């Protein structure tokens, strides 16, 4: 490597392991970034994400297959490996540009529909698969080709097949685990998507330089890389085919890959109930799975010194996959209580869930990781077969992983749910063990008997549904209580509908989505949802077409005034719709029975991208802004997309729960809206949420709300709004205040998504209602109240809301001294300062002995 310095083959192999670890690190950084980039363009529907994953893994399989065919002809595999790493980095830099071009092509081919399209349309499915495969083919194929090349150089003796190939797989997988964590916890939150891809490309460049130096390590290295005579014979065609004795392992490793990814999908879905579904939760679970693969591969590499031992090891590993995974599944329901105890001791919800989730996932992942080195050793008859055997095993295993990933998410989990899927996956592993033990000679009777006993046990004992996990509220949310009346495992979320004393509670992945009131419930009980449906009408009374993003419990669309002619609802998860259909006949008013309402199963960004329709008002109410299905709906690019789908004068309302933001994130949200819309206001009609109201045209809520109150008096009255003063009381930032509040704040973008990266970290220390009041009071719009308002009524309204500081500020603006002293006195009484309040009220009566409100307040003391 360095002129005059001769490195032993062992040292060079260790350095190549470092290269391959860095290569795996870069690969998972790419995978993490590309998944998010595709989600931005194609949406977060399960169809879009699954096709991207399938394309990614198909490219790996094709690359491995191609490399397996020509690796035997390569005289300098390390040099070719170095060139491949450079090619990966260069081709990866072109992926974001290609994704952008694919987005334009998508719109050109499938766009322009009158109504928002469905995610699962045939045209979309074909386009997602074809475009993602074309975009990712070059970099992923180059990635897939690297292992066979390094195996070609590393293996010189039969006894090195299992250990050397296993060591390479271990190093690459360990690097992948590190890359997952680096991308999620450091790169994406700090530098954004674009620079994350650049960082991964820089790692590829480092690997290229190091591997090129190794390949250039003098004539000695070049000579040592010259194939042995029998490999030379293979290269010239005199021994072109691998012995077929071990090909039985290929269909088994294919099914094994499918089973392993079925377990991975199952664990990801279940453990998200503990970790909250954030990018950090997914990265933690994926990294744990990859660490397990690396540990299992390292263990198996030491044991796979011969084909006979490898076969026994493969069978034993399949039995271990089934047994360890079922034991972990049976122990799941103990985790929520352990998480609560650890969190109470100061460990934190995310850390506690991550530790326990990793401990649950790791044993089965170790057993899965052991299968690869065992399979390679079973297939390779001798050292010259190592490259092609590793390529074929990798390709077949990867194809199986694609089948497992798609089959688990689309078929098994929705049809069999969690317990049935666990049983089926365990049974598949045991069948693989039985085939490996008894079909191929010499038979391993003891292992075959263990596999048969396991199959009998799986057939007789069905795992219990982990209800404690499914009810668990992650990241400090209260556990959902009540009888489960609807349970659905959808393609993107697990949905529960629980009957409670006050109605029903809808949860997705353990996170609370909505409450649904019974027929006897007070219509105005769910104030936030009612306000969300009426605020756009207050800003634009002429609204005739309404688009709602996120169905939730259907409360927001339950009582839309008759003046709205069409209501389109885009919902990502079909199980949410099924839960609403179950509850519909039991409700006072079934929103899905409204003839004006049309449901569209899709991601909101994907739906808007392909429709030409514009709406008078758009309301976005996705919950939990850190989750994959919601996080891309709080960025500047999405807000701009919404703006482009509004009719002239149209309005946009964005919901945000206060428990999910701190002051900095709230400022960022308002700054994001201001970057897309010139006119923005903020409303807080209830204690738990704020609404961002935005439009391309000036907003005048005082003037426009009067018409809305006249056209829909009953709907407004149900939430206690009788006049425009009630609406003005909910406005906490006018346009000027919003601009001052957001000054200096960074908008959240697709590249640097602040809500996705920071929201999980502020849970537990987010804004409370009093804190939000104190912060927003600095920009109080009532410092200069609009003309023509009934200020005494406004004071009473604010007092009922507990907005004492706002009343004090409003009082200072009152030109009439008795009214000013009365407002001040009422504020002091509401704040618990009786003496100060009584003094101000008496001052008001001294100025005007007939002041009725001051007199009534004093008589009530």
């Amino acid at each position: 490597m360095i002129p005059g310095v001769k490195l032993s083959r062992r040292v060079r192999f260790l350095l190549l392991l470092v290269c391959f670890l860095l290569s795996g690190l870069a690969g998972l950084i790419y995978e993490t970034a590309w998944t998010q980039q595709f989600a931005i363009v194609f949406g977060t529907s399960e169809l879009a994400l699954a096709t991207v994953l399938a394309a990614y893994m198909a490219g790996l399989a094709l690359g491995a297959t191609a490399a397996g065919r020509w690796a035997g002809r390569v005289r300098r595999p390390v040099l070719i490996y170095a060139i491949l790493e450079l090619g990966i980095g260069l081709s990866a830099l072109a992926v974001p540009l290609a994704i952008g071009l694919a987005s334009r092509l998508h719109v050109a081919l499938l766009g322009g529909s009158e109504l928002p399209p469905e995610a699962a349309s045939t045209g979309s499915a074909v386009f997602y698969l074809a475009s993602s495969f074309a975009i990712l083919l070059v970099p992923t194929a180059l990635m897939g080709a690297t292992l066979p090349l390094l195996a070609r150089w590393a293996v010189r003796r039969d006894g090195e097949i299992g250990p050397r190939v296993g060591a390479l797989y271990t190093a690459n997988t360990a690097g992948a685990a590190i890359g997952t964590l680096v991308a999620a916890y450091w790169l994406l939150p700090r530098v954004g998507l674009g620079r994350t891809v650049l960082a991964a490309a820089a790692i590829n460049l480092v690997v290229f330089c190091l591997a090129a130096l190794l390949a250039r390590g003098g004539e000695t290295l070049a000579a040592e890389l010259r194939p042995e005579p029998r490999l030379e014979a293979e290269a010239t065609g005199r021994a072109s085919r691998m012995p077929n004795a071990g090909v039985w392992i290929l269909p088994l490793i294919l099914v094994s890959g499918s089973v392993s990814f079925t377990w991975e999908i199952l664990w990801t879905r279940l453990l998200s109930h503990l970790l909250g579904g954030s990018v950090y939760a997914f990265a933690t679970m994926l990294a744990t799975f990859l660490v397990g693969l690396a540990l299992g591969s390292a263990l198996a590499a030491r044991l796979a010194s011969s084909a006979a031992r490898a076969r026994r090891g493969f069978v034993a590993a399949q039995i271990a996959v089934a047994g360890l995974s079922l034991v972990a599944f049976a122990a799941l329901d103990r985790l929520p209580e352990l998480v609560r105890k650890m969190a109470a001791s100061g460990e934190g919800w995310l850390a506690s869930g991550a530790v326990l989730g990793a401990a649950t996932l790791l044993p089965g992942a170790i057993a899965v990781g052991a299968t690869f080195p065992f399979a390679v050793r079973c297939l390779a008859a001798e050292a010259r077969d190592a490259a092609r055997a590793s390529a074929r095993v990798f390709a077949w295993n990867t194809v199986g992983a694609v089948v497992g990933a798609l089959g688990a998410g689309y078929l098994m989990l929705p049809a069999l749910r969690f317990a049935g899927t666990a049983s089926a996956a365990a049974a598949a592993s045991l069948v693989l063990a039985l085939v490996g033990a008894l079909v191929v000679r010499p038979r391993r009777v003891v292992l075959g008997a263990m596999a048969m006993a396991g199959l009998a046990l799986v057939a007789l004992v069905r795992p219990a549904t982990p209800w404690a996990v499914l009810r668990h509220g992650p990241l400090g949310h209260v556990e959902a209580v009540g009888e489960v009346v609807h349970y659905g495992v959808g393609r993107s979320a697990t949905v529960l509908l629980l009957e409670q004393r006050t109605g029903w509670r809808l949860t997705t992945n353990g996170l609370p989505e909505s409450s649904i009131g019974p027929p006897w419930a007070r219509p105005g009980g769910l104030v936030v949802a009612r306000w969300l449906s009426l605020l756009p009408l207050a800003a634009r009374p002429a609204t005739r077409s309404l688009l709602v993003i996120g169905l939730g419990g259907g409360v927001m669309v339950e009582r839309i005034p008759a003046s709205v002619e069409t209501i389109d609802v885009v919902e990502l998860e079909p199980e949410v719709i099924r839960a609403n259909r179950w509850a519909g006949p039991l409700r006072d008013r079934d929103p899905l029975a409204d003839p004006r309402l049309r449901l569209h199963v899709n991601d909101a960004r994907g739906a808007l991208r392909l429709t030409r329709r514009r709406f008078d008002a758009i309301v976005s109410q996705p919950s939990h802004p850190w989750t994959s299905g919601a996080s891309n709906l709080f960025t500047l690019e999405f807000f701009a997309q919404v703006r482009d789908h509004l009719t002239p004068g149209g309005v946009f309302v964005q919901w945000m729960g206060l428990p999910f933001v701190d002051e900095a994130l709230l400022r960022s949200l308002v700054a994001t809206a201001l970057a897309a819309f010139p006119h923005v206001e903020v409303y807080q009609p209830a204690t738990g949420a704020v609404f961002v109201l935005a439009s391309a045209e000036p907003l005048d809520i005082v003037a426009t709300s009067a018409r809305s109150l006249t056209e829909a008096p009953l709907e407004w009255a149900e939430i206690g709004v009788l006049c425009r003063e009630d609406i003005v009381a909910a406005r906490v930032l006018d346009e000027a205040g919003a601009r001052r509040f957001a000054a200096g704040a960074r908008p959240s973008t697709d590249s640097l998504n602040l809500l996705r990266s920071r929201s999980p970290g502020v849970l537990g220390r987010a804004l409370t209602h009093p804190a939000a009041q104190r912060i927003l009071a600095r920009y109080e719009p009532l410092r200069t109240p609009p003309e023509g308002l009934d200020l005494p009524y406004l004071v009473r309204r604010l007092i009922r809301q507990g907005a004492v500081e706002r009343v004090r500020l409003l009082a200072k603006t009152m030109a009439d001294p008795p009214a000013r002293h009365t407002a001040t006195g009422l504020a002091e009484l509401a704040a618990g300062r009786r003496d100060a309040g009584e003094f101000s009220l008496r001052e008001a009566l001294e100025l005007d002995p007939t002041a009725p409100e001051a007199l009534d307040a004093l008589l009530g003391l």
Side-chain angles (χ1 to χ4, degrees), residues 240-279:
S240 60
R241 292 192 178 181
M242 189 188 333
N244 292 322
V247 295
W248 59 270
I249 197 66
L250 293 177
L252 269 63
I253 198 65
L254 183 145
V255 178
S256 178
S258 179
V259 171
S260 67
F261 257 75
T262 297
W263 280 114
E264 201 271 340
I265 297 292
L266 182 144
W267 290 126
T268 298
R269 294 285 296 274
L270 280 174
L271 293 178
S272 66
H273 288 258
L274 298 177
L275 300 175
S278 68
V279 63

Side-chain angles (χ1 to χ4, degrees), residues 231-244:
L231 295 180
E232 187 73 34
E234 179 188 4
T236 57
R238 291 193 295 268
S240 60
R241 292 192 178 181
M242 189 188 333
N244 292 322

